Amino acid sequence: MPEGKGPLSPSFERLLTMGFAHLAPGPVTVLTTTSEEDQPRFELPSSWRAAQGPSWQELSVSATRLLAHGPLLLVPPWQRHTGTGGRAKRNASHFAYDEVLGACRPANADSVLVVLTPAELWTSESSRAAQLRATLAEHWDTLAVLYGTGVIPQIHQSVIVAAAFLKARQESRPPMKIFRVPHTDEGASVEKDFEVLLQRGGGSTRYGYVVRKLPPTEESLDFDRHHPDVVSQRADLAGFGSITTLGELYEAVPRINMAADSQWISMEEQPGAVRLLGGRDILRGGSIALPTDEGYWVKAPPGCLLQSGDLIVREIHGRNDLPGLIVAEVTEQDLPAAPAHTTIALRPRATTTPQQIRLVAQFLRTPLADRLVGRSSVHITMKRMLELPVPQPDDVLTAALDDLDAARHRLETWRNDAETLLESAFTSKTAMQARDRIVAQGRGLRLRVEAATLLDDLGHTVRTRFPYPVAYRWRESEARISAGDQQAAYSAVLEAAEILLCYSALLALALAWEAGIPLGSTTAIKEKLLSGRSGPGFGDWVAVLEEAAGSRKLRALPHQHPIHGIRSLLAGEDAADARQRLSERRNDDAHLRRLDPIDLPPAVTEAFADLTLLIERSRFLADLPLVHVTTIQWDSLAQTAQVRYRELMGDHPVVPTKTAALPRHDLEIGSLYLWDSMHDLHLLRPFLTGLVCRVCRTWSTFHADLVPQDSVLLKSLEHGHVHPQPADTASALARVGLL
């Protein structure tokens, strides 16, 4: 530390003054000692009174005496001492302020004591610091904690200093305010922010926040640990599936301490030595730096050797580091190696899955993981790392991660194949042979890339990956528009919009009935089915979707339930406006309020834009295959069914038959099902029925349109053709509330 003393940081001094004025008005006394080399020293503000204790052992007595006359700023010595008894463990090294603060007592019920200490007293999770915080809480309430750097002249600029405002303990603990002084020159705005925080009873400001739900007295008060934003984000992690701790998935790998284990370490590679990886060897890009002449080598015991797949993290936060932990996964190319104490090395447990490993590695690099670990110290402790909450993927996310990993490997294979082919251009005997090889072998690669590129085209995605009724109607709209028949194109677009909403509403009705949640919008549909005049239409499907979107009971279903994608279809002002415009156009067209031919081209363009917006909002349908079960063979011994089915995705009903083994014996041959991302099948009968149309002889999907006395009339979603069914079909409609 440099010699001498200087002024307390002007900004921090003003913040302390503001804190005293708000929490304990009156003349402030500053208590220090005169005999300690490591005693922080600074010039006092002119309005503060100075007091000195003869020794640090008597500071607590002096503090209590001075508290009887007004608020007190106590600056205890920060050096370590070796205790021989009393509160300190025998022969254990501890800080002098441990004993000073532990013995401080209020002079009266209004006593306010502010202590200036290293931040580790309030942020450390060591048993020593936790015990001291618990001891202080027996006599004091913590009103506020200010963290700052560059506060005291002889303390290094990177050291975080804390000023804690303590008041004599009351019957109930008051809210606590935590403030962090930023590394900026915006003194006026920082002070204004602190002034606002002092007036607050809850919430947060730019640089601080109020803790209303107080943590246990011994818990760390790391700035990020209790910030409302971090608390909310920590709870939100469960949206990935569930939450566990990093220690449940990984175990710590012993590290080499470069001071304590110096006898094993050398600057030159020696027989039996391995590379020693320090914090600087871990690159922000997620890799480990190549060895250099300045690197270290170590004869590490077997237990300290790293393995492929281990994670290694920088243990030191740089003040100017970008948010996110700096972590790398150890590969075979990095071995043999051992971790130094400036890193944290983690090894996946035997029960940790590859999906969990991928998600953890990505999560650790996020700013949220950085904040949850805590930035109130330049060091990351192993304890905090192992206690770090991390998201756990549910079945849906696990499947998605697997698919993404498979896609990444496939793309890497294509890239490698292309590079190999390009490199072979000049290895053939003749230029003609090289040309023919590149053209012939490159054709497959080019076709793959072209096919993958088509997936960025919404129209291609709908035609190939959306359920048959929607994909068929979309294809007809595109075909009519391209043909230039404006009236036919206009009608096709409006019908496609109605079928999109019709299909989605029928799914919502089927899923709600399966969940035992009735929807009031079925009443209007029931009345139209029985009217004998006109069946349900555009407005009825919209009513179903809007009711589903606002239903609290449907909202309470598990987040992976397919109903939630359907509920989001019309959410948002843009989707609602597009739906409204299409509804009005469909209503006008149905009531013969036809557009003039001059107005048709812009009307087609506008209507198709609205349809496209709704199709974009319904991309979830691509993950919900429409399945037609054709045969079932039940195995009583295996308790599984061999199910043959057709996946009706895309704009044509002629599709290959697939086979799956399912642990269900309640499936129906000939019925339609929705296959969700959790691999569950949801029965769609009688809301949707699959039949060969008697008019066009094409397999089609149908919904109930009218119910005369002697039959049920079904209408095709693809062609609008009507198909009569026996009267006993009405009993199924009655069971689900449509009759």
Side-chain angles (χ1 to χ4, degrees):
M1 293 183 183
E3 296 294 333
K5 65 178 182 177
L8 191 67
S9 160
S11 175
F12 205 79
E13 175 190 323
R14 287 192 291 271
L15 294 177
L16 285 178
T17 302
M18 292 168 60
F20 275 116
H22 182 80
L23 300 172
V28 178
T29 302
V30 180
L31 176 61
T32 60
T33 61
T34 58
S35 59
E36 302 297 338
E37 293 182 1
D38 289 340
Q39 170 74 36
R41 297 185 297 275
F42 53 86
E43 293 179 359
L44 301 179
S46 58
S47 60
W48 293 2
R49 299 177 298 193
Q52 293 181 337
S55 67
W56 68 265
Q57 291 88 346
E58 299 180 39
L59 273 181
S60 56
V61 176
S62 300
T64 301
R65 175 175 51 81
L66 292 170
L67 282 169
H69 304 286
L72 177 69
L73 172 62
L74 173 62
V75 188
W78 292 9
Q79 75 272 23
R80 291 182 179 271
H81 285 278
T82 300
T84 58
R87 289 184 63 253
K89 294 182 179 179
R90 187 170 300 277
N91 297 323
S93 177
H94 65 286
F95 288 99
Y97 59 72
D98 289 359
E99 293 193 22
V100 173
L101 298 182
C104 281
R105 300 292 183 269
N108 51 55
D110 297 322
S111 294
V112 173
L113 172 67
V114 178
V115 294
L116 200 64
T117 66
E120 71 88 29
L121 166 61
W122 304 99
T123 62
S124 172
E125 293 184 323
S126 67
S127 57
R128 176 195 63 81
Q131 179 57 49
L132 180 54
R133 291 194 293 269
T135 300
L136 282 170
E138 294 176 5
H139 306 281
W140 304 92
D141 288 326
T142 304
L143 301 181
V145 181
L146 278 70
Y147 296 115
T149 55
V151 173
I152 302 176
Q154 66 270 50
I155 304 296
H156 193 278
Q157 294 292 306
S158 65
V159 175
I160 302 174
V161 175
F165 285 77
L166 310 177
K167 187 172 183 178
R169 182 173 176 177
Q170 309 296 310
E171 293 185 4
S172 60
R173 295 172 65 192
M176 178 169 48
K177 295 163 184 178
I178 300 182
F179 192 84
R180 181 166 60 190
V181 183
H183 307 296
T184 68
D185 296 328
E186 302 175 3
S189 64
V190 173
E191 292 162 25
K192 179 63 177 178
D193 194 79
F194 185 55
E195 182 181 7
V196 171
L197 181 66
L198 289 173
Q199 305 292 334
R200 286 277 185 91
S204 61
T205 63
R206 184 177 180 184
Y207 304 117
Y209 59 92
V210 180
V211 183
R212 295 186 59 84
K213 187 177 180 180
L214 297 172
T217 55
E218 69 277 3
E219 187 169 327
S220 165
L221 296 181
D222 183 279
F223 182 84
D224 286 323
R225 189 179 186 91
H226 305 287
H227 195 289
D229 293 345
V230 177
V231 172
S232 175
Q233 290 174 311
R234 183 191 296 124
D236 189 58
L237 285 177
F240 285 98
S242 61
I243 299 177
T244 188
T245 61
L246 190 61
E248 292 292 324
L249 305 177
Y250 285 79
E251 58 185 346
V253 179
R255 298 168 290 177
I256 302 295
N257 188 292
M258 298 185 68
D261 303 321
S262 59
Q263 71 276 12
W264 298 342
I265 302 173
S266 65
M267 290 286 291
E268 298 179 357
E269 185 175 3
Q270 299 178 355
V274 302
R275 185 183 177 193
L276 183 63
L277 295 179
R280 293 183 178 180
D281 295 315
I282 307 167
L283 304 180
R284 179 166 287 279
S287 61
I288 294 174
L290 296 173
T292 64
D293 294 339
E294 290 76 27
Y296 291 91
W297 300 83
V298 60
K299 294 183 177 179
C304 294
L305 295 177
L306 291 167
Q307 298 177 8
S308 179
D310 290 349
L311 293 180
I312 186 166
V313 186
R314 278 193 196 176
E315 187 263 355
I316 296 178
H317 281 294
R319 189 170 77 176
N320 298 319
D321 277 350
L322 296 174
L325 301 177
I326 302 176
V327 55
E329 182 174 348
V330 178
T331 66
E332 291 291 346
Q333 291 74 21
D334 303 317
L335 300 177
H341 72 282
T342 55
T343 69
I344 291 177
L346 303 164
R347 179 163 299 153
R349 297 187 183 274
T351 55
T352 304
T353 66
Q355 295 85 359
Q356 291 172 320
I357 291 173
R358 284 198 298 269
L359 192 60
V360 165
Q362 292 296 324
F363 175 68
L364 291 180
R365 297 186 176 98
T366 64
L368 176 58
D370 199 351
R371 296 188 73 181
L372 290 176
V373 166
R375 269 197 175 258
S376 292
S377 171
V378 296
H379 297 278
I380 304 171
T381 67
M382 180 66 76
K383 181 175 183 293
R384 288 296 293 272
M385 280 295 296
L386 295 178
E387 291 178 350
L388 177 69
V390 294
Q392 290 291 275
D394 56 18
D395 292 342
V396 176
L397 183 57
T398 296
L401 290 172
D402 288 340
D403 291 343
L404 286 172
D405 196 50
R408 179 173 61 84
H409 284 299
R410 177 64 61 86
L411 292 173
E412 288 177 352
T413 300
W414 292 357
R415 184 191 65 183
N416 294 336
D417 290 346
E419 289 178 350
T420 301
L421 187 58
L422 289 170
E423 291 170 358
S424 70
F426 299 101
T427 59
S428 300
K429 292 182 178 179
T430 66
M432 183 62 69
Q433 289 179 342
R435 175 190 177 280
D436 291 344
R437 179 188 299 112
I438 291 175
V439 172
Q441 296 183 12
R443 183 177 297 114
L445 287 171
R446 294 197 308 274
L447 290 175
R448 292 173 194 167
V449 173
E450 288 174 8
T453 303
L454 283 173
L455 294 177
D456 291 330
D457 175 24
L458 177 63
H460 180 269
T461 301
V462 177
R463 292 191 303 272
T464 57
R465 296 305 308 150
F466 270 48
Y468 172 51
V470 179
Y472 179 89
R473 290 288 187 168
W474 174 269
R475 186 192 70 178
E476 184 175 2
S477 297
E478 287 188 320
R480 296 290 186 184
I481 292 172
S482 66
D485 186 341
Q486 299 297 329
Q487 183 59 58
Y490 189 63
S491 297
V493 169
L494 298 182
E495 290 170 6
E498 179 169 347
I499 294 307
L500 170 64
L501 300 181
C502 169
Y503 180 79
S504 301
L506 291 171
L507 294 187
L509 289 171
L511 293 170
W513 179 80
E514 180 188 60
I517 301 172
L519 296 180
S521 49
T522 57
T523 302
I525 297 176
K526 183 191 306 183
E527 292 175 354
K528 288 192 174 183
L529 291 177
L530 294 172
S531 69
R533 296 186 301 274
S534 63
F538 202 114
D540 300 296
W541 310 132
V542 170
V544 171
L545 293 172
E546 289 181 342
E547 182 182 1
S551 171
R552 292 185 178 180
K553 291 183 179 179
L554 290 179
R555 188 187 311 153
L557 291 175
H559 70 275
Q560 68 270 22
H561 196 282
I563 194 69
H564 296 303
I566 300 168
R567 292 178 61 246
S568 68
L569 174 55
L570 297 182
E573 186 176 348
D574 55 348
D577 290 344
R579 191 276 306 161
Q580 181 63 36
R581 289 190 293 268
L582 288 168
S583 178
E584 292 172 355
R585 292 180 184 276
R586 180 67 169 150
N587 187 56
D588 288 344
D589 195 63
H591 289 83
L592 303 181
R593 293 190 288 269
R594 302 290 168 78
L595 293 174
D596 187 277
I598 297 177
D599 299 324
L600 271 174
V604 170
T605 301
E606 294 167 5
F608 189 69
D610 286 337
L611 172 62
T612 301
L613 188 150
L614 294 183
I615 286 287
E616 282 278 10
R617 298 296 299 267
S618 61
R619 281 184 179 269
F620 60 86
L621 291 175
D623 294 326
L624 301 174
L626 177 63
V627 169
H628 179 221
V629 174
T630 57
T631 62
I632 302 172
Q633 184 176 356
W634 177 254
D635 186 334
S636 298
L637 296 179
Q639 292 292 296
T640 59
Q642 290 295 322
V643 180
R644 290 174 64 81
Y645 64 94
R646 299 189 307 138
E647 192 174 277
L648 296 160
M649 302 297 282
D651 59 12
H652 203 284
V654 179
V655 294
T657 298
K658 300 182 179 181
T659 304
L662 302 174
R664 291 182 57 171
H665 56 78
D666 60 343
L667 300 177
E668 302 174 356
I669 295 176
S671 289
L672 293 177
Y673 288 86
L674 186 74
W675 202 323
D676 69 15
S677 55
M678 298 294 290
H679 308 294
D680 288 334
L681 288 174
H682 304 268
L683 179 65
L684 299 181
R685 185 179 68 88
F687 301 96
L688 272 173
T689 304
L691 296 169
V692 175
C693 178
R694 70 185 181 91
V695 178
C696 61
R697 303 296 190 270
T698 303
W699 191 96
S700 307
T701 55
F702 293 83
H703 71 85
D705 187 50
L706 291 174
V707 185
Q709 292 182 355
D710 58 345
S711 68
V712 174
L713 299 182
L714 303 181
K715 186 167 72 172
S716 166
L717 277 71
E718 292 79 16
H719 314 101
H721 297 156
V722 176
H723 196 297
Q725 287 288 91
D728 58 6
T729 306
S731 62
L733 295 173
R735 289 192 186 97
V736 298
L738 290 181
L739 289 180

